[in-house]
Amino acid sequence: MYEENRSTQISEENAYPVRRYSRERAVRQPPEEEKTRDFLLRVILTQSVLCVILALVAFAVMKTGGDRFESAKQSYWTLFSEDMERKELVETFKSVSSFLFKPQDALSQTEPETTAPTEETSISTTAPQSAEPQDGAGGEDLLFPDKNASFAPLTVSGSFCVPVAYTKVTSDFGYRINPVTGERGFHGGLDLVAPSGTSIYAAFSGQVTTVSYSEVRGNYVVLTHNSGLQTVYCHCSEILVEVGANIRGGEVIAKVGSTGQSTGPHLHFEVRLDSVRYNPAWLLF
């Protein structure tokens, strides 16, 4: 009996500190939980406010400057469709920023006020010839790249033939500084440097639908293939095919030259799908 009471008393005495310790922990925990909860709420609130602000800014830019919004979108795809070194990335950001934030009245001067020219390219009356023909490039730029150009990947079934034995690419597809006018524009193809007189080959089998000359493109030929696909070959010194002729892929259709708006011998090569220009690099590289 005495032993039972004594063991009970010892157990109860040993229990008190445990209960006191538990109460102390229970009292200390809620403030820490409240602090954590308040911090998370502040983070969520801040992020929500930033998202709303960014959405409003994007909406305002889209409504007040549709061309700039499309230019920014196209520039975004340009940046993330190519592998760039840090220096090239910085230069591209600077160039795009200066283009997007150019004064609105300055932008309007570069666009036609009434009707667009028959050629969908800007025309310059001066075309200085370069002393270095191996750096030849063309001056044709699209007036409305947001409507007739795309950075989306392009895949084409069928056998592809490289259109010319080029030594290098002097002007890529996309936004650039025009080598003739010195102004910023959108290049709708690739400029492939090759010596004057080098053979130009049909990229795919198709039919010759255009053989012509313009102040911008010089002597050029357009081939139409299946499913709305077209290839364009510009600045030729000589064209060896006629409209309506059926051409096999790899067949010689023209010779490299520097006619039209050009700084030296090269081939301006375009790929169009349903009248929209795509980057020929998807086929060449």
Side-chain angles (χ1 to χ4, degrees), residues 30 32-42:
E32 294 179 359
E33 293 179 357
E34 290 179 2
K35 288 181 181 179
T36 303
R37 186 165 52 250
D38 291 343
F39 174 76
L40 291 176
L41 287 175
R42 286 196 298 270

Side-chain angles (χ1 to χ4, degrees), residues 3-243:
E3 292 297 329
E4 283 183 339
N5 292 338
R6 187 163 175 248
S7 63
T8 302
Q9 184 179 0
I10 292 173
S11 300
E12 290 177 354
E13 287 177 355
N14 292 336
Y16 288 145
V18 174
R19 285 198 293 268
R20 282 197 299 270
Y21 178 71
S22 299
R23 283 198 298 272
E24 289 174 0
R25 288 191 61 188
V27 170
R28 285 198 298 266
Q29 283 178 349
E32 294 179 359
E33 293 179 357
E34 290 179 2
K35 288 181 181 179
T36 303
R37 186 165 52 250
D38 291 343
F39 174 76
L40 291 176
L41 287 175
R42 286 196 298 270
V43 171
I44 293 172
L45 181 61
T46 302
Q47 291 176 341
S48 301
V49 171
L50 288 175
C51 288
V52 171
I53 292 174
L54 291 174
L56 291 175
V57 170
F59 180 77
V61 171
M62 183 175 62
K63 289 298 183 182
T64 59
D67 293 338
R68 294 184 183 185
F69 180 79
E70 289 298 325
S71 298
K73 185 172 66 174
Q74 295 286 3
S75 300
Y76 169 84
W77 286 112
T78 301
L79 290 174
F80 290 96
S81 64
E82 299 180 357
D83 294 330
M84 292 184 178
E85 295 181 355
R86 184 175 64 179
K87 183 178 179 181
E88 294 176 325
L89 191 62
V90 171
E91 291 299 325
T92 303
F93 269 119
K94 288 180 180 179
S95 180
V96 170
S97 299
S98 64
F99 178 69
L100 292 179
F101 295 103
K102 190 176 180 180
Q104 189 64 37
D105 45 350
L107 283 174
S108 62
Q109 293 176 4
T110 63
E111 297 182 357
E113 296 181 358
T114 53
T115 57
T118 53
E119 289 289 333
E120 297 179 0
T121 56
S122 56
I123 298 177
S124 173
T125 56
T126 60
Q129 296 296 313
S130 172
E132 299 290 338
Q134 67 269 23
D135 291 330
E140 63 278 357
D141 283 329
L142 298 180
L143 292 175
F144 309 106
D146 57 320
K147 297 179 181 179
N148 51 30
S150 174
F151 284 102
L154 177 68
T155 56
V156 179
S157 60
S159 178
F160 172 74
C161 175
V162 177
V164 68
Y166 63 96
T167 56
K168 66 177 179 178
V169 178
T170 51
S171 192
D172 292 313
F173 177 89
Y175 290 100
R176 67 167 184 174
I177 300 300
N178 190 299
V180 175
T181 65
E183 298 180 355
R184 186 164 176 79
F186 191 99
H187 192 219
L190 289 179
D191 285 347
L192 308 173
V193 174
S196 183
T198 302
S199 296
I200 298 174
Y201 307 97
F204 300 98
S205 297
Q207 187 178 57
V208 179
T209 51
T210 302
V211 173
S212 186
Y213 174 87
S214 78
E215 294 181 32
V216 178
R217 298 175 178 270
N219 297 317
Y220 70 99
V221 57
V222 180
L223 298 184
T224 298
H225 314 283
N226 295 328
S227 304
L229 180 70
Q230 288 185 319
T231 51
V232 185
Y233 314 78
C234 304
H235 307 296
C236 306
S237 62
E238 183 182 3
I239 296 177
L240 307 176
V241 293
E242 297 180 350
V243 173

